[in-house]
Amino acid sequence: MNGAEFCGCCEGTMQETPAAIDNRPGLSQIEYRVGTWRQFKSSMLDELSKVPELAALRTRSDDDFTIALCDAFAIVCDILTFYCERSANEHYLRTATQLVSVAELAALIGYEPPPGVAAGAALAFTLDAPPPALPQKTQPLQPALVPSQISLPIGTKVQSVPGPGERPVTFETIAPIAARYDWNALSPQVYRPYTDDTANAYPSHLRLSGLIGSLQSGEYVLIVITILGTTQYGFNRVSSVLQDVATQTTLVSFDDVPWATTNPAVEVDPSQQGATLSGALDQATIQSSVIGVTWSDQADFVAQAAKLQWDPDATQALINAAHAQGPATAPFAIFKLGVRASIFGHNAPYYGTLPSYTLQPGQTFPANWENTTLYGLNPDSSSANIFLDATYPSLSVGAYVVLLGSVWWWWEAAPITATATLTLAKFLLASSVTELTLDLPPADLDFFEMRATTVLGSSDQYVLAQEFLDQTTIGGSHIMLDSAQLALKLGQELIVTGISATKT
């Protein structure tokens, strides 16, 4: 072949179609194309050189009409073989992607899939806050301008917010929904109420209001509980002090003692039987007949209130207002015993070391003062008087003292009813002392010896803070809410959101 016969226009082209098809078993997608655009175009360009009538066509440039026509037909062939391959995949159960293909394949063996069902989703509606109520000029219980509850009808449409690459989905409600603004976010109760029947003088810890820096480990604390006119005392030594900046409280833990195994309050048992309602709906009735009483079934309480024609919304508002106010008086009074003193005469010379002779005619040393009790120091007094070893101006009327005996479990607490400063000479000693009169039977002083008694006096007083619930997670068979929600009914669905405590 000479140079005139060889133009080189078909160099690099070859017959590539139909391409070989070979699929191994078990593939999730099969190949069924006899060629692609490139392969079809290469085959057609190769055929051009074999047609005698087109021997004069020596260009293979894409901007030539004939070459462009071949390129376009190669694209058509590529599209046709692509969809042919898609159709072939739908003929096998492993590679089919269309539901209708799977149904047709299943029909070959007589199986008919059941009809599809609509997708379900848990749905919660959030209501806008109602406008503030207008000032009430005449009737104290005039109808509210904004209803406390609205009903969302069946078929209310809600559209989902699609994520990246997703499409929105429209849902419809299948039942009427009672919606209230109060239900936008129901919060669980995180504090335990302090009540008279749950007060305990020997807690393992106490949570105090404020960040307290004046109380340290090793110091003593007196707990005074007054219930129905009866006063009970608790006395213990501080083992640790933890300041909680997040809640602005201080957690004080005490040394373990045999009876200090309970907390100062316990959770309310929801299975207790409630009382019977009576009277008119007002704050006094709620405080006396509702607060502190637990109904085993809220429906029972609502039914009783309905018989008395109590307005449900007004009843709920009064209950929540009473809980927000808290108890009229706190049952706990907490004192730091920051004053430490001894009894006058505790450091007297040992009586057995004194000479046994007469000081002056008719005078001898006093009677033996060893093992003398506080009562024995002043047996003729009609009140419980004690004499301290020095003057203590901070111990005043109304303060408390604790008499601590020779063993840690032998102690007595009492308020101070009178004080005096005087100079006392006795037991070969002379000193200015503080005399305290205590609200105690005088005979109780007979349990404390002069040398072995330590007197602890109150200084700082602390305010008791609400105690957190024992559990750190919400769960179990019931959840205690932090407010009354009388419109909640049995069978009503709730959505609980938050951080899961389950570790995976």
Short mmCIF file of all heavy atoms in Angstrom, two decimals, residues 368-373 449-451:
data_model
loop_
_atom_site.label_atom_id
_atom_site.label_comp_id
_atom_site.label_asym_id
_atom_site.label_seq_id
_atom_site.Cartn_x
_atom_site.Cartn_y
_atom_site.Cartn_z
N ASN A 368 -15.23 15.97 148.57
CA ASN A 368 -14.60 15.46 147.36
C ASN A 368 -15.41 15.85 146.13
O ASN A 368 -16.60 15.56 146.03
CB ASN A 368 -14.50 13.93 147.48
CG ASN A 368 -13.64 13.34 146.38
OD1 ASN A 368 -13.29 14.01 145.41
ND2 ASN A 368 -13.31 12.08 146.55
N TRP A 369 -14.75 16.53 145.13
CA TRP A 369 -15.46 16.96 143.92
C TRP A 369 -15.23 16.01 142.74
O TRP A 369 -15.71 16.26 141.65
CB TRP A 369 -15.07 18.38 143.54
CG TRP A 369 -13.59 18.62 143.43
CD1 TRP A 369 -12.75 18.18 142.47
CD2 TRP A 369 -12.78 19.38 144.32
NE1 TRP A 369 -11.47 18.61 142.68
CE2 TRP A 369 -11.46 19.37 143.83
CE3 TRP A 369 -13.04 20.09 145.52
CZ2 TRP A 369 -10.40 20.01 144.47
CZ3 TRP A 369 -11.99 20.73 146.14
CH2 TRP A 369 -10.68 20.68 145.62
N GLU A 370 -14.46 14.97 142.96
CA GLU A 370 -14.28 14.02 141.88
C GLU A 370 -15.59 13.29 141.59
O GLU A 370 -16.36 12.98 142.50
CB GLU A 370 -13.18 13.02 142.23
CG GLU A 370 -11.83 13.66 142.52
CD GLU A 370 -11.29 14.45 141.33
OE1 GLU A 370 -11.64 14.12 140.18
OE2 GLU A 370 -10.52 15.41 141.56
N ASN A 371 -15.85 13.04 140.29
CA ASN A 371 -17.06 12.36 139.80
C ASN A 371 -18.33 13.15 140.10
O ASN A 371 -19.44 12.59 140.08
CB ASN A 371 -17.18 10.95 140.38
CG ASN A 371 -15.98 10.08 140.03
OD1 ASN A 371 -15.46 10.13 138.92
ND2 ASN A 371 -15.54 9.28 141.00
N THR A 372 -18.17 14.44 140.35
CA THR A 372 -19.35 15.27 140.60
C THR A 372 -20.06 15.55 139.27
O THR A 372 -19.44 15.89 138.27
CB THR A 372 -18.95 16.59 141.26
OG1 THR A 372 -18.29 16.31 142.49
CG2 THR A 372 -20.17 17.46 141.51
N THR A 373 -21.40 15.42 139.27
CA THR A 373 -22.19 15.70 138.07
C THR A 373 -22.62 17.16 138.06
O THR A 373 -22.52 17.87 139.08
CB THR A 373 -23.43 14.80 137.98
OG1 THR A 373 -24.31 15.12 139.08
CG2 THR A 373 -23.01 13.33 138.05
N GLU A 449 -20.83 14.58 133.90
CA GLU A 449 -19.85 14.86 134.94
C GLU A 449 -19.15 16.19 134.67
O GLU A 449 -19.03 16.63 133.52
CB GLU A 449 -18.82 13.74 135.02
CG GLU A 449 -19.40 12.39 135.44
CD GLU A 449 -18.32 11.33 135.56
OE1 GLU A 449 -17.14 11.67 135.33
OE2 GLU A 449 -18.67 10.18 135.90
N MET A 450 -18.67 16.78 135.75
CA MET A 450 -18.04 18.09 135.66
C MET A 450 -16.79 18.06 134.78
O MET A 450 -16.58 18.93 133.94
CB MET A 450 -17.68 18.58 137.07
CG MET A 450 -16.93 19.92 137.11
SD MET A 450 -16.44 20.37 138.79
CE MET A 450 -15.16 19.12 139.10
N ARG A 451 -15.95 17.06 134.96
CA ARG A 451 -14.68 17.02 134.24
C ARG A 451 -14.85 16.50 132.80
O ARG A 451 -14.06 16.84 131.93
CB ARG A 451 -13.68 16.12 134.97
CG ARG A 451 -13.20 16.66 136.30
CD ARG A 451 -12.06 15.80 136.81
NE ARG A 451 -11.58 16.17 138.12
CZ ARG A 451 -10.65 17.11 138.35
NH1 ARG A 451 -10.14 17.80 137.35
NH2 ARG A 451 -10.25 17.37 139.59
#
